[in-house]
Amino acid sequence: MNLSKQAIERIQKILQLEKKTGYKNTAVIGGLQGFLEQALAGEPGEAREIVAGLDNYESMSAPQRRKAIEEAEDRLITVGVGEDVEPVVAGTYEASSAKTKSQNVTLESPVRFAKGVGEQRAKQFQKLEIKTISDLLMYLPRRIEDRSLIKKISQAHAGESVTVQGRIRALDILRPRPNLEILKVAVQDNTGVIFATWFNQPWLKTQFAQGERISLYGPIERNYGGAQMSNPVWEPADTNFLTGRLVPIYPVTKGLTPAILYRLIRENLQLYRDQILEILPDEIRNRQHLLPRSEALYKIHFPGSIAEFEQARMTLAFEELLLFQVGVVLQRRGMAERRAALLSAPEVKMEDFSAHLPFRLTKAQERVISEISRDLASGHPMNRLLQGDVGSGKTIVAAAAAFIASVSGAQTALMAPTEILAQQHFRRLQETLAPLKLRLALLVGSMKPKERDKIQELIAAGEIDLIVGTHALISESVEFQNLQLAIIDEQQRFGVIQRAQLEEKGKSAHVLVMSATPIPRTITLTLYGQFEISILDELPFKKEIRTYWVSEERREVVYPLIARELKSGVQAYVVYPLIEESEELDLRAATQMKEELESTFFKEFRVGLLHGRMSDDEKRSVMEEVVKKKIDVLVSTSIIEVGIDVPDASLMVIEHADRFGLSQLHQLRGRIGRQGQKSLCFAVATAKTDEGKERMEAFRDCTDGFDIAEKDLLIRGPGDLLGVAQHGLESSFKVADLIRDLELMKSAREEANALLAKDPQSSLIQEFERRFGERFDLARV
């Protein structure tokens, strides 16, 4: 039964006015009860149940009036919400609940039909990506705050966050200066008085009544012996909703306070809890010691203890990770069903390959080449991630893969993110593979049109075996005769689409992607879940790089030491950060540093400059001079981070090192000591945050790339580490934590594999598509 829109609006306005005037029953002449009799005249009899809680308003205390008005406002919101659902005439909570269940409102109904929401609040929920009632119940707290410690006022110590309870003895509004209004409330228990203050919130005064018992939560301040709380959380005593218990903390948006959100979740969870169905099979739930789904949702919003909250979080995180891994298994299954060319090389040919190398392969390189050989000869597309520390020999492994493809009559393309790196790869691969009769070519954007056209003709005619290049490889004008192996270096610098464009240049091409530095284990299980993983966990020689963290005030000590070492014939890098927002300033600083070093510490040495704004010809010219030892000191932006190989570089100074990520610092450091010679790295930084100090200490003390990767993940989190804009990984998981949930991730992967092997059409496939959809593709690489 509907209440007219006009009546709803009139009642809502008067209830708002009554709240603003402090629940004194003065909002309308004759009192609130008289107004309601008049407002409901002519309305259906059942409509009176909506405001039944206000029948004895005149005789209620201020706290009772406040509660009655809040309940009436909630019921009014649920009345007349739309034409596709029969409106609710809400009297008691039980009546509303029973009515709702009979009118086809489900968890997948729009959130505006949720109890207490309506059209206006639904617009606020849109900002939080809450579109359905299910989304509301699955809007999980980011943390839990323990407000359960209740103390007497005299026993509360300065600095501790506690709940105190007492009666309001006085209220006052102070105006110490323009645009500043302070509400001060004195609350007393049987041991003392505490003053609660709120700034620029004068409307709060109407919410309090002298003599009312309230609870306050917040950090205690003690000034001149008196206790005080600033902007505390408060509620009527004995409510135990926002104080005196464990309280979940949710991200909110403007106009939607944590208290409102928490109340709406509580009321709708009670209302729709019996619609929350199990998703996971019982055997998986039992094996993983998971809570029933509805119980987990209840306990994550309303935990009785920290242990209960963590058990609920673990249950929901496992469900989320399992569904994600179902997607990974489906992707891998799709690849396994595809056919690809069989690429193989006789053992005698591989022996010939090894014999032409000027060094012995490490055991790790031999193992990984063997893994790649099996993939290439399997008849299915290889999809393998190759990772290893800086200097572990990934390029030689790529050369071996290209050699196998060439022996089988197939072409290989190697795509690098920068021209400098592509040129370096080409030079090194030419040295390795040209003696084995492989035909190589370089294709980069800066080539003259005539030269580029000639190379493209040779590629199309099948007269090039290995093509090394940049994004130029994926341009429409490039056609391969028989591309069967695509190698992507520094793959995190490419998007999913770019990698796919290179793969599409061949037919079901084999794919090998290479990472600059090791990737944390949890990331490989999510972002790289569709890949087989090969790890180069052995270096050809022990690196002897000593790293020092030097404050900016002691910078003057560093450069004379570098100058002394340069006299032995080694080379040095001086690296400047390059931040997009301040690119012009950063380039100017690097240029000025080059000029300053030339005229002071390095007068007798040749100093060069390299940065991203230079033309490709200029960059190539500078790097050739460095390699030929015509430059002793190279002042550079972080453009040298990736793949630059100068054998005699043994010294590095990283200016403003706190502006780099930990993995990036390690990658930069990998540019020196590349022949195993003793080397020195100075990180110049005055870290201004705890995170910055932690990062600099880790860089100074740790040289293992795998340890560095894990520490970087702990310090920065997956979003900063990977670049949320590119990967969308952080927003893909609502519960799971990629830092702490590694073991859950492993278990989820095992269960997903077993489940789909047993039941290839599992209902979890549909749930995976519903839950992740396009976001799954955004979280891939």
Side-chain angles (χ1 to χ4, degrees), residues 132 214 296 328 390 649 759:
T132 66
I214 64 170
V328 171
V390 179
D759 180 9

Side-chain angles (χ1 to χ4, degrees), residues 550 553-562 564 601 682:
V550 181
E553 294 76 31
R554 301 189 65 233
R555 176 186 283 112
E556 301 299 314
V557 177
V558 173
Y559 287 105
L561 194 153
I562 297 290
R564 191 165 64 246
F601 300 110
F682 295 92

Side-chain angles (χ1 to χ4, degrees), residues 520-580:
R521 179 75 172 136
T522 50
I523 305 301
T524 61
L525 288 174
T526 47
L527 273 156
Y528 302 89
Q530 77 274 36
F531 289 93
E532 298 296 332
I533 312 292
S534 285
I535 297 176
L536 290 172
D537 51 6
E538 179 184 1
L539 295 176
F541 43 75
K542 188 170 186 269
K543 280 205 168 190
E544 296 191 47
I545 304 175
R546 283 178 291 161
T547 304
Y548 298 91
W549 172 23
V550 181
S551 67
E552 291 181 11
E553 294 76 31
R554 301 189 65 233
R555 176 186 283 112
E556 301 299 314
V557 177
V558 173
Y559 287 105
L561 194 153
I562 297 290
R564 191 165 64 246
E565 292 291 328
L566 284 170
K567 289 177 181 176
S568 67
V570 297
Q571 291 168 286
Y573 294 113
V574 177
V575 184
Y576 259 79
L578 188 61
I579 309 301
E580 195 174 327

Side-chain angles (χ1 to χ4, degrees), residues 462-572:
E463 294 180 30
I464 301 294
D465 302 307
L466 171 57
I467 304 92
V468 180
T470 55
H471 299 77
L473 290 173
I474 58 177
S475 63
E476 285 185 21
S477 60
V478 178
E479 292 182 6
F480 295 82
Q481 187 191 69
N482 186 27
L483 178 65
Q484 296 295 345
L485 174 60
I487 302 174
I488 295 97
D489 191 26
E490 302 298 323
Q491 60 72 36
Q492 69 274 19
R493 307 269 290 265
F494 294 104
V496 181
I497 295 169
Q498 290 167 321
R499 198 186 76 213
Q501 284 174 326
L502 181 59
E503 292 173 38
E504 286 166 8
K505 294 285 184 180
K507 293 179 181 177
S508 292
H510 298 279
V511 176
L512 176 67
V513 299
M514 302 194 294
S515 171
T517 51
I519 300 164
R521 179 75 172 136
T522 50
I523 305 301
T524 61
L525 288 174
T526 47
L527 273 156
Y528 302 89
Q530 77 274 36
F531 289 93
E532 298 296 332
I533 312 292
S534 285
I535 297 176
L536 290 172
D537 51 6
E538 179 184 1
L539 295 176
F541 43 75
K542 188 170 186 269
K543 280 205 168 190
E544 296 191 47
I545 304 175
R546 283 178 291 161
T547 304
Y548 298 91
W549 172 23
V550 181
S551 67
E552 291 181 11
E553 294 76 31
R554 301 189 65 233
R555 176 186 283 112
E556 301 299 314
V557 177
V558 173
Y559 287 105
L561 194 153
I562 297 290
R564 191 165 64 246
E565 292 291 328
L566 284 170
K567 289 177 181 176
S568 67
V570 297
Q571 291 168 286

